[in-house]
Short mmCIF file of all heavy atoms in Angstrom, two decimals:
data_model
loop_
_atom_site.label_atom_id
_atom_site.label_comp_id
_atom_site.label_asym_id
_atom_site.label_seq_id
_atom_site.Cartn_x
_atom_site.Cartn_y
_atom_site.Cartn_z
N ARG A 187 0.85 -1.19 0.00
CA ARG A 187 0.00 0.00 0.00
C ARG A 187 0.88 1.24 0.00
O ARG A 187 1.82 1.36 0.79
CB ARG A 187 -0.93 -0.02 1.21
CG ARG A 187 -1.82 1.21 1.35
CD ARG A 187 -3.02 0.90 2.22
NE ARG A 187 -3.92 -0.04 1.54
CZ ARG A 187 -5.06 -0.48 2.07
NH1 ARG A 187 -5.42 -0.10 3.29
NH2 ARG A 187 -5.82 -1.32 1.39
N PHE A 188 0.57 2.18 -0.87
CA PHE A 188 1.34 3.42 -1.01
C PHE A 188 0.42 4.61 -0.72
O PHE A 188 -0.57 4.82 -1.43
CB PHE A 188 1.92 3.53 -2.42
CG PHE A 188 2.82 2.38 -2.80
CD1 PHE A 188 2.31 1.22 -3.36
CD2 PHE A 188 4.19 2.45 -2.57
CE1 PHE A 188 3.12 0.16 -3.71
CE2 PHE A 188 5.02 1.39 -2.92
CZ PHE A 188 4.48 0.24 -3.48
N TYR A 189 0.78 5.38 0.30
CA TYR A 189 -0.04 6.51 0.71
C TYR A 189 0.43 7.81 0.06
O TYR A 189 1.59 7.96 -0.32
CB TYR A 189 -0.01 6.66 2.23
CG TYR A 189 -0.83 5.62 2.96
CD1 TYR A 189 -0.23 4.47 3.46
CD2 TYR A 189 -2.19 5.79 3.13
CE1 TYR A 189 -0.97 3.51 4.13
CE2 TYR A 189 -2.95 4.84 3.81
CZ TYR A 189 -2.33 3.71 4.29
OH TYR A 189 -3.07 2.76 4.96
N GLN A 190 -0.49 8.77 0.01
CA GLN A 190 -0.18 10.08 -0.56
C GLN A 190 0.93 10.77 0.23
O GLN A 190 1.84 11.36 -0.33
CB GLN A 190 -1.45 10.95 -0.54
CG GLN A 190 -1.25 12.36 -1.05
CD GLN A 190 -2.53 13.18 -0.96
OE1 GLN A 190 -3.51 12.75 -0.33
NE2 GLN A 190 -2.55 14.33 -1.56
N TYR A 191 0.85 10.68 1.54
CA TYR A 191 1.86 11.34 2.37
C TYR A 191 2.91 10.30 2.74
O TYR A 191 2.82 9.61 3.75
CB TYR A 191 1.22 11.94 3.62
CG TYR A 191 0.12 12.92 3.29
CD1 TYR A 191 -1.11 12.84 3.91
CD2 TYR A 191 0.33 13.92 2.35
CE1 TYR A 191 -2.13 13.74 3.60
CE2 TYR A 191 -0.67 14.82 2.02
CZ TYR A 191 -1.90 14.73 2.66
OH TYR A 191 -2.90 15.62 2.34
N ASP A 192 3.90 10.18 1.89
CA ASP A 192 4.92 9.16 2.05
C ASP A 192 6.11 9.73 2.81
O ASP A 192 6.01 10.73 3.51
CB ASP A 192 5.33 8.59 0.69
CG ASP A 192 5.83 9.68 -0.26
OD1 ASP A 192 6.07 10.81 0.22
OD2 ASP A 192 5.97 9.40 -1.46
N TYR A 193 7.28 9.09 2.64
CA TYR A 193 8.45 9.50 3.39
C TYR A 193 8.91 10.92 3.05
O TYR A 193 9.50 11.61 3.87
CB TYR A 193 9.60 8.51 3.14
CG TYR A 193 9.30 7.12 3.61
CD1 TYR A 193 9.00 6.11 2.70
CD2 TYR A 193 9.29 6.82 4.96
CE1 TYR A 193 8.70 4.83 3.14
CE2 TYR A 193 9.00 5.53 5.41
CZ TYR A 193 8.70 4.56 4.49
OH TYR A 193 8.42 3.29 4.92
N GLU A 194 8.62 11.39 1.84
CA GLU A 194 9.08 12.72 1.44
C GLU A 194 8.39 13.82 2.22
O GLU A 194 8.93 14.89 2.41
CB GLU A 194 8.84 12.91 -0.06
CG GLU A 194 9.68 11.99 -0.93
CD GLU A 194 9.42 12.21 -2.40
OE1 GLU A 194 8.59 13.09 -2.71
OE2 GLU A 194 10.02 11.52 -3.22
N THR A 195 7.16 13.57 2.66
CA THR A 195 6.42 14.59 3.41
C THR A 195 6.14 14.14 4.84
O THR A 195 5.29 14.71 5.51
CB THR A 195 5.09 14.92 2.71
OG1 THR A 195 4.29 13.73 2.65
CG2 THR A 195 5.33 15.43 1.31
N ALA A 196 6.84 13.11 5.30
CA ALA A 196 6.58 12.56 6.63
C ALA A 196 6.85 13.56 7.75
O ALA A 196 6.26 13.48 8.81
CB ALA A 196 7.41 11.30 6.84
N LYS A 197 7.77 14.51 7.50
CA LYS A 197 8.12 15.48 8.53
C LYS A 197 7.07 16.60 8.66
O LYS A 197 7.10 17.37 9.61
CB LYS A 197 9.49 16.09 8.23
CG LYS A 197 10.63 15.07 8.32
CD LYS A 197 11.97 15.73 8.05
CE LYS A 197 13.10 14.72 8.16
NZ LYS A 197 14.43 15.33 7.90
N LEU A 198 6.17 16.70 7.68
CA LEU A 198 5.13 17.71 7.73
C LEU A 198 3.97 17.22 8.58
O LEU A 198 3.75 16.02 8.73
CB LEU A 198 4.65 18.05 6.32
CG LEU A 198 5.70 18.56 5.35
CD1 LEU A 198 5.07 18.82 3.98
CD2 LEU A 198 6.35 19.84 5.88
N ASP A 199 3.23 18.15 9.16
CA ASP A 199 2.11 17.80 10.02
C ASP A 199 0.85 17.62 9.18
O ASP A 199 0.26 18.58 8.70
CB ASP A 199 1.90 18.90 11.06
CG ASP A 199 0.80 18.53 12.05
OD1 ASP A 199 0.33 17.38 12.00
OD2 ASP A 199 0.42 19.40 12.87
N HIS A 200 0.45 16.36 9.00
CA HIS A 200 -0.78 16.06 8.27
C HIS A 200 -1.91 15.67 9.22
O HIS A 200 -2.89 15.04 8.82
CB HIS A 200 -0.53 14.94 7.26
CG HIS A 200 0.46 15.29 6.21
ND1 HIS A 200 0.27 16.27 5.27
CD2 HIS A 200 1.70 14.78 5.95
CE1 HIS A 200 1.33 16.35 4.47
NE2 HIS A 200 2.21 15.47 4.88
N HIS A 201 -1.74 16.01 10.52
CA HIS A 201 -2.76 15.77 11.53
C HIS A 201 -3.14 14.28 11.60
O HIS A 201 -4.30 13.93 11.81
CB HIS A 201 -4.02 16.62 11.26
CG HIS A 201 -3.73 18.07 11.07
ND1 HIS A 201 -3.39 18.91 12.12
CD2 HIS A 201 -3.70 18.83 9.94
CE1 HIS A 201 -3.18 20.14 11.65
NE2 HIS A 201 -3.35 20.11 10.34
N GLY A 202 -2.15 13.41 11.39
CA GLY A 202 -2.39 11.98 11.47
C GLY A 202 -3.02 11.38 10.23
O GLY A 202 -3.28 10.18 10.18
N CYS A 203 -3.26 12.20 9.21
CA CYS A 203 -3.88 11.71 7.98
C CYS A 203 -2.79 11.25 7.00
O CYS A 203 -1.82 11.96 6.75
CB CYS A 203 -4.71 12.81 7.33
SG CYS A 203 -5.54 12.30 5.82
N GLN A 204 -2.95 10.06 6.44
CA GLN A 204 -1.98 9.54 5.47
C GLN A 204 -2.37 9.83 4.03
O GLN A 204 -1.62 9.54 3.11
CB GLN A 204 -1.82 8.03 5.67
CG GLN A 204 -1.18 7.65 6.99
CD GLN A 204 -1.07 6.16 7.17
OE1 GLN A 204 -2.06 5.48 7.43
NE2 GLN A 204 0.13 5.63 7.02
N GLY A 205 -3.54 10.39 3.82
CA GLY A 205 -3.97 10.76 2.47
C GLY A 205 -4.50 9.58 1.69
O GLY A 205 -4.59 8.46 2.19
N VAL A 206 -4.86 9.83 0.43
CA VAL A 206 -5.36 8.76 -0.42
C VAL A 206 -4.23 7.76 -0.69
O VAL A 206 -3.06 8.07 -0.48
CB VAL A 206 -5.91 9.32 -1.75
CG1 VAL A 206 -7.08 10.26 -1.49
CG2 VAL A 206 -4.83 10.05 -2.53
N TYR A 207 -4.57 6.58 -1.19
CA TYR A 207 -3.57 5.54 -1.36
C TYR A 207 -3.92 4.65 -2.54
O TYR A 207 -5.06 4.64 -3.02
CB TYR A 207 -3.44 4.69 -0.09
CG TYR A 207 -4.69 3.94 0.29
CD1 TYR A 207 -4.94 2.66 -0.19
CD2 TYR A 207 -5.63 4.52 1.14
CE1 TYR A 207 -6.09 1.98 0.15
CE2 TYR A 207 -6.79 3.84 1.50
CZ TYR A 207 -7.01 2.56 1.00
OH TYR A 207 -8.15 1.88 1.34
N PHE A 208 -2.92 3.90 -3.01
CA PHE A 208 -3.17 2.85 -3.99
C PHE A 208 -2.45 1.59 -3.56
O PHE A 208 -1.45 1.64 -2.83
CB PHE A 208 -2.73 3.29 -5.40
CG PHE A 208 -1.25 3.46 -5.59
CD1 PHE A 208 -0.46 2.42 -6.07
CD2 PHE A 208 -0.63 4.67 -5.31
CE1 PHE A 208 0.90 2.58 -6.26
CE2 PHE A 208 0.73 4.84 -5.49
CZ PHE A 208 1.50 3.80 -5.98
N ASP A 209 -2.95 0.45 -3.98
CA ASP A 209 -2.37 -0.86 -3.68
C ASP A 209 -1.80 -1.46 -4.96
O ASP A 209 -2.41 -1.34 -6.03
CB ASP A 209 -3.41 -1.81 -3.10
CG ASP A 209 -3.91 -1.36 -1.74
OD1 ASP A 209 -3.13 -0.69 -1.03
OD2 ASP A 209 -5.06 -1.67 -1.39
N ALA A 210 -0.65 -2.11 -4.87
CA ALA A 210 -0.02 -2.67 -6.07
C ALA A 210 0.92 -3.80 -5.70
O ALA A 210 1.55 -3.80 -4.64
CB ALA A 210 0.76 -1.58 -6.82
N ASP A 211 1.03 -4.77 -6.60
CA ASP A 211 1.99 -5.87 -6.47
C ASP A 211 3.39 -5.39 -6.78
O ASP A 211 3.61 -4.55 -7.67
CB ASP A 211 1.66 -6.99 -7.46
CG ASP A 211 0.56 -7.91 -6.96
OD1 ASP A 211 0.21 -7.84 -5.77
OD2 ASP A 211 0.03 -8.70 -7.77
N ILE A 212 4.36 -5.96 -6.09
CA ILE A 212 5.78 -5.88 -6.46
C ILE A 212 6.31 -7.30 -6.43
O ILE A 212 6.23 -7.98 -5.41
CB ILE A 212 6.58 -4.99 -5.49
CG1 ILE A 212 6.11 -3.54 -5.57
CG2 ILE A 212 8.07 -5.09 -5.78
CD1 ILE A 212 6.83 -2.62 -4.60
N ASN A 213 6.84 -7.78 -7.57
CA ASN A 213 7.37 -9.13 -7.65
C ASN A 213 8.89 -9.04 -7.71
O ASN A 213 9.46 -8.38 -8.58
CB ASN A 213 6.83 -9.86 -8.88
CG ASN A 213 7.27 -11.32 -8.92
OD1 ASN A 213 8.26 -11.66 -9.56
ND2 ASN A 213 6.54 -12.17 -8.22
N TYR A 214 9.56 -9.69 -6.78
CA TYR A 214 11.02 -9.57 -6.63
C TYR A 214 11.67 -10.95 -6.73
O TYR A 214 11.18 -11.92 -6.15
CB TYR A 214 11.35 -8.93 -5.29
CG TYR A 214 12.81 -8.95 -4.93
CD1 TYR A 214 13.69 -8.03 -5.50
CD2 TYR A 214 13.32 -9.87 -4.02
CE1 TYR A 214 15.03 -8.04 -5.17
CE2 TYR A 214 14.66 -9.89 -3.69
CZ TYR A 214 15.52 -8.98 -4.27
OH TYR A 214 16.85 -8.99 -3.95
N MET A 215 12.79 -11.02 -7.46
CA MET A 215 13.56 -12.25 -7.59
C MET A 215 15.04 -11.92 -7.51
O MET A 215 15.50 -10.98 -8.14
CB MET A 215 13.24 -12.96 -8.91
CG MET A 215 13.76 -14.39 -9.01
SD MET A 215 15.50 -14.57 -9.45
CE MET A 215 15.64 -13.65 -10.96
#
């Protein structure tokens, strides 16, 4: 799951809100 407020804006105060998000597969070998 990838949220709108990711590590780049983690230091900003979003009042506990992580924003909209999308879900996606990652296949690793």
Side-chain angles (χ1 to χ4, degrees):
R187 178 159 291 180
F188 301 88
Y189 286 96
Q190 178 182 10
Y191 303 131
D192 57 12
Y193 297 105
E194 294 180 1
T195 61
K197 294 182 180 180
L198 301 179
D199 184 8
H200 298 295
H201 308 287
C203 181
Q204 293 178 286
V206 298
Y207 62 89
F208 68 94
D209 294 332
D211 279 347
I212 295 178
N213 185 265
Y214 171 78
M215 192 279 305

